[in-house]
């Protein structure tokens, strides 16, 4: 037994994607999609999603693929993870174009994007996370976390941490912050969150 992997960072990140798309959909249906706050929220959503999927595609799925070489079902699942990521990219670009043209069907497009992203996140949580639990050690999982942190860098973390906490119940915030090193928590409290709030994303 290698001990259990705690997927808290994966879940809070997925929930932040879901929250952002709910905000996008609400903004579109209220006719606020082109306000600076909504544009900035959308740009940040794309950046966060890109970082998350890039590290999964370059580190996580390849690592698992190595370990399940003789299991066709698991290999098919990992191929699905990559193709679901690839399916989202053109939808993001199309939404960008529609936003630039102030298209009249932004609400429907936001709904379609939500349906595809939700489907992917659910698939990942229900099938890929159990496979990760089975095949990787908590040490491997920490390495994935460090790879994600390196990809974000300090500038990325300065947005990622307050973005995750945005709209989160206080108890969940405490649990999330408990996963971070004390100096990061201090930076977040003193600098990152105040700066993030001043950007008024999605407002
Ligand atoms: Fe994920």
């Amino acid at each position: 037994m290698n001990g259990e992997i705690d997927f808290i960072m994966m879940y809070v990140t997925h929930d932040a994607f879901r929250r952002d798309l709910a905000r996008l959909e609400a903004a579109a249906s209220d006719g606020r999609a082109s306000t600076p706050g909504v544009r900035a929220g959308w740009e940040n959503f794309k950046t966060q999603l890109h970082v998350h999927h890039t590290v999964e595609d370059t580190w996580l799925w390849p690592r698992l693929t190595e370990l399940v070489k003789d299991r066709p079902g698991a290999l098919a699942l990992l191929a699905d993870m990559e193709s679901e990521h690839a399916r989202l990219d053109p939808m993001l670009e199309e939404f960008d174009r529609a936003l630039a043209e102030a298209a009249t069907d932004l609400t429907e497009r936001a709904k379609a994007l939500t349906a595809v992203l939700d489907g992917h996140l659910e698939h990942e949580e229900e099938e890929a996370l159990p496979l990760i639990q089975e095949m990787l050690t908590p040490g491997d999982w920490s390495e994935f976390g460090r790879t994600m942190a390196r990809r974000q860098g300090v500038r990325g973390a300065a947005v990622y941490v307050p973005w995750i906490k945005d709209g989160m119940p206080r108890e969940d915030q405490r649990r999330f912050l408990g996963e971070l090193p004390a100096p990061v928590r201090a930076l977040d409290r003193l600098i990152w969150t105040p700066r993030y709030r001043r950007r008024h994303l999605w407002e």
Side-chain angles (χ1 to χ4, degrees), residues 68-106:
V68 297
K69 270 198 188 110
D70 53 351
R71 289 169 55 182
L75 288 173
L77 170 67
L78 296 171
D80 282 349
M81 290 299 114
E82 287 193 45
S83 63
E84 288 168 14
H85 285 178
R87 190 179 162 204
L88 278 160
D89 292 336
M91 291 187 84
L92 299 176
E93 284 168 28
E94 276 170 37
F95 195 89
D96 259 337
R97 265 197 300 278
L99 205 51
E101 292 162 3
T104 50
D105 60 351
L106 287 176

Side-chain angles (χ1 to χ4, degrees), residues 10 14 52 56 121 124:
M10 190 65 108
H14 287 184
H52 187 81
E56 288 183 344
L121 296 176
E124 183 174 319

Side-chain angles (χ1 to χ4, degrees), residues 7-17 160 164 168 176:
F7 289 116
I8 177 174
M9 298 305 267
M10 190 65 108
Y11 280 111
V12 295
T13 308
H14 287 184
D15 287 345
F17 293 138
Y160 173 80
I164 291 289
M168 201 185 226
F176 163 65

Side-chain angles (χ1 to χ4, degrees), residues 176-187:
F176 163 65
L177 290 169
E179 297 292 313
L180 307 176
V184 171
R185 287 201 298 271
L187 271 172

Side-chain angles (χ1 to χ4, degrees), residues 105-134:
D105 60 351
L106 287 176
T107 309
E108 289 68 31
R109 286 173 184 274
K111 282 195 171 120
L113 197 51
T114 300
V116 173
L117 185 72
D118 276 353
H120 164 63
L121 296 176
E122 214 177 293
H123 195 192
E124 183 174 319
E125 290 168 358
E126 287 185 357
E127 296 192 37
L129 297 192
L131 182 67
I132 293 169
Q133 190 67 271
E134 181 193 342

